[in-house]
Amino acid sequence: VLSDLSSGINAEYGVLEQGETAKAAVLFQRAMETNEIVFGRDHPDVARNLNNLGRTFKEMGDYDGAKSKLTTALQMKQKRYGEDHINLVPTLMNLGDLFNLTKQPN
């Protein structure tokens, strides 16, 4: 199961790097659903999947979807790690990029 998850994650990033964001979103969604089943809803891998979905939605121009996924990922990470943990940085950076792009203050 873990080797299947690993190859799936590699496929997601490869597709995203090639600019196929819609296909990447489907793969990230599938990975998140699998991680929820295997590890539970509050697992850090689910938060990482939400972060990746948010970034992908941003690339597709779905800014509301991106904000929703990124905000949920951030809340999950804050609950698990606290407010000032290094694991929050990728999601904070993605939210910052989104807010800069859409000119939203928060």
Side-chain angles (χ1 to χ4, degrees):
V1 172
L2 290 179
S3 64
D4 291 341
L5 287 175
S6 177
S7 31
I9 291 167
N10 290 336
E12 295 156 11
Y13 285 112
V15 167
L16 189 57
E17 288 173 4
Q18 294 173 10
E20 298 180 54
T21 52
K23 188 173 180 181
V26 170
L27 293 171
F28 283 132
Q29 181 69 37
R30 225 173 79 203
M32 184 187 72
E33 291 166 359
T34 301
N35 281 334
E36 284 181 332
I37 291 167
V38 173
F39 300 118
R41 173 79 175 107
D42 294 328
H43 194 272
D45 286 352
V46 175
R48 182 177 40 107
N49 295 136
L50 284 166
N51 179 67
N52 292 338
L53 272 169
R55 187 183 75 210
T56 303
F57 284 9
K58 178 184 67 102
E59 295 296 322
M60 294 185 333
D62 180 358
Y63 302 133
D64 290 335
K67 182 178 179 182
S68 173
K69 299 296 184 195
L70 292 169
T71 301
T72 301
L74 182 62
Q75 290 169 347
M76 289 173 68
K77 289 179 177 186
Q78 287 172 327
K79 181 179 177 183
R80 183 172 194 95
Y81 301 113
E83 297 289 321
D84 296 320
H85 196 276
I86 190 77
N87 287 347
L88 277 64
V89 170
T91 304
L92 288 169
M93 290 179 65
N94 285 326
L95 275 167
D97 287 344
L98 176 65
F99 295 148
N100 186 51
L101 182 66
T102 60
K103 307 296 186 222
Q104 296 178 358
N106 56 19

